[in-house]
Amino acid sequence: MKLDMSFPARKYKLYATWKRDMETMHLPFPREWSHTQFNLPPNWKEVALKKMDEVVNKFRSVKLFLDICVKCGACTDKCPFFLGTLDPNNMPVARQDLFRSVYKRYFTLTGKIFRGFVGAEELTEETVELWYTYFYQCSQCRRCSVFCPYGIDTAEIMIAAREVLTAIGLSPRSLTEAIAKCETIGNHMGIPPAALLSAIQFAEEEIKEETGIEVKVPINKKGAEILYVPPSADFFGGPHWGTLKGVIKMFHQIGLDYTISTYASEGGNFGTWLGYEHMKKINRKLV
Ligand code: SF4
Ligand code: SF4
């Protein structure tokens, strides 16, 4: 396998969060910025290191994973993002090292004394640019951890690392736009209750056309045995739309006592890729 040393994945920086969504979600340092111009706050380094200290001490597994990697290389070719780009920074161990090197420099004795000799690196704006580029090119699939003899979970390191990026106001729009909609309108797609109702009625009509069977979806039914909460993309378009219709047909056929809520209308959770706070917030909407 030949590595691509032109670092092709560097051009895949995700677009910046809108200022209005940062305000809606109460994210730190709401401001105008872009994926090429971060406009970091003056005290960004202090904030980042404080957050890093918090996450490595709060999540013991993360600290352990940062300390025990032996660089055996067993995970290197196991990441789909590495296989797709052949960019060495997308190897799971290299992705971890972008975070680990800064951890070593500021939070370990050997890193503080021997610096570069033990792979410790200063936290600079260039480092943060690499973090923003490569930390969001991990889908947290955890495939690499299956092949690591120590069970090091890159996904868990990335969740902690993204907490640090979020603390200095660097989160991608592809996540925050959906989360902001979920926290205000009720689902990632931003479908209000009336539109959701129309979508379900449209599904009923299509099922009638396709099968000749009249199906009625129970909406906001009190006391139903099951509350069915699909991801909101299922109400929106293909191929998810087919899943929604398939489920409605099956529930009708087996005579299930269920309901779909126009208010608890999101079964997905984009907070999973942003950080614990928003992951919990979206989860709490359902439970
Ligand atoms: S968890 Fe991240 S680094 Fe590991 S294989 Fe999946 S995408 Fe790649
Ligand atoms: S397989 Fe595990 S120990 Fe080996 S390099 Fe990857 S993360 Fe480190």
Side-chain angles (χ1 to χ4, degrees):
M1 186 179 292
K2 195 167 180 303
L3 298 181
D4 189 340
M5 298 309 280
S6 66
F7 303 100
R10 279 196 194 183
K11 58 178 186 260
Y12 299 122
K13 268 199 238 83
L14 295 168
Y15 288 126
T17 293
W18 303 113
K19 184 173 178 230
R20 58 149 208 260
D21 285 343
M22 294 188 87
E23 285 164 348
T24 305
M25 293 169 63
H26 306 293
L27 290 174
F29 307 114
R31 67 199 184 288
E32 302 291 349
W33 62 288
S34 76
H35 63 293
T36 53
Q37 189 71 48
F38 287 168
N39 298 334
L40 289 167
N43 61 339
W44 71 269
K45 193 166 168 177
E46 185 193 327
V47 174
L49 290 173
K50 193 164 167 237
K51 192 70 182 175
M52 200 165 182
D53 188 25
E54 184 192 316
V55 293
V56 295
N57 285 302
K58 189 168 169 191
F59 307 114
R60 288 176 60 202
S61 53
V62 172
K63 190 170 169 39
L64 185 73
F65 293 156
L66 291 173
D67 285 333
I68 64 171
C69 173
V70 292
K71 306 286 187 291
C72 69
C75 63
T76 50
D77 59 349
K78 304 302 183 295
C79 174
F81 291 82
F82 168 68
L83 294 173
T85 59
L86 294 182
D87 182 330
N89 281 327
N90 264 333
M91 291 175 180
V93 61
R95 200 187 304 287
Q96 296 166 21
D97 274 354
L98 289 172
F99 196 64
R100 183 179 284 116
S101 55
V102 176
Y103 160 77
K104 272 191 181 168
R105 163 66 186 85
Y106 295 94
F107 300 98
T108 67
L109 189 60
T110 49
K112 282 176 190 170
I113 298 171
F114 299 111
R115 310 255 169 126
F117 290 110
V118 291
E121 299 275 354
E122 296 292 324
L123 179 59
T124 62
E125 291 203 23
E126 288 72 36
T127 318
V128 169
E129 195 173 338
L130 287 171
W131 282 9
Y132 188 74
T133 306
Y134 290 101
F135 290 175
Y136 290 105
Q137 290 185 42
C138 166
S139 66
Q140 298 172 204
C141 72
R142 297 190 148 136
R143 185 170 191 259
C144 50
S145 70
V146 178
F147 294 89
C148 172
Y150 293 90
I152 293 174
D153 186 351
T154 314
E156 217 162 314
I157 298 174
M158 287 306 109
I159 294 173
R162 289 174 194 186
E163 292 262 322
V164 178
L165 282 175
T166 302
I168 54 172
L170 293 179
S171 309
R173 191 188 307 167
S174 51
L175 297 176
T176 50
E177 195 170 6
I179 296 171
K181 281 180 184 151
C182 197
E183 293 176 1
T184 49
I185 301 169
N187 51 64
H188 295 330
M189 302 297 293
I191 309 171
L196 203 131
L197 190 61
S198 301
I200 293 171
Q201 286 166 345
F202 192 57
E204 290 171 343
E205 285 165 21
E206 276 196 5
I207 292 171
K208 176 89 193 292
E209 274 169 31
E210 288 165 8
T211 66
I213 298 172
E214 193 129 353
V215 169
K216 196 75 202 138
V217 178
I219 309 290
N220 299 331
K221 180 185 161 190
K222 281 190 185 162
E225 202 177 335
I226 288 168
L227 170 65
Y228 177 58
V229 190
S232 59
D234 284 15
F235 297 111
F236 199 71
H240 316 76
W241 179 247
T243 308
L244 179 72
K245 286 198 299 180
V247 167
I248 293 172
K249 286 179 199 170
M250 182 181 71
F251 285 176
H252 174 82
Q253 189 63 24
I254 63 176
L256 195 71
D257 178 19
Y258 78 104
T259 189
I260 293 180
S261 167
T262 51
Y263 300 99
S265 52
E266 183 53 72
N269 191 336
F270 269 57
T272 312
W273 295 283
L274 187 70
Y276 290 105
E277 185 193 333
H278 292 275
M279 191 195 306
K280 281 193 272 186
K281 202 168 170 188
I282 293 174
N283 207 33
R284 267 200 303 268
K285 276 163 53 60
L286 286 180
V287 291

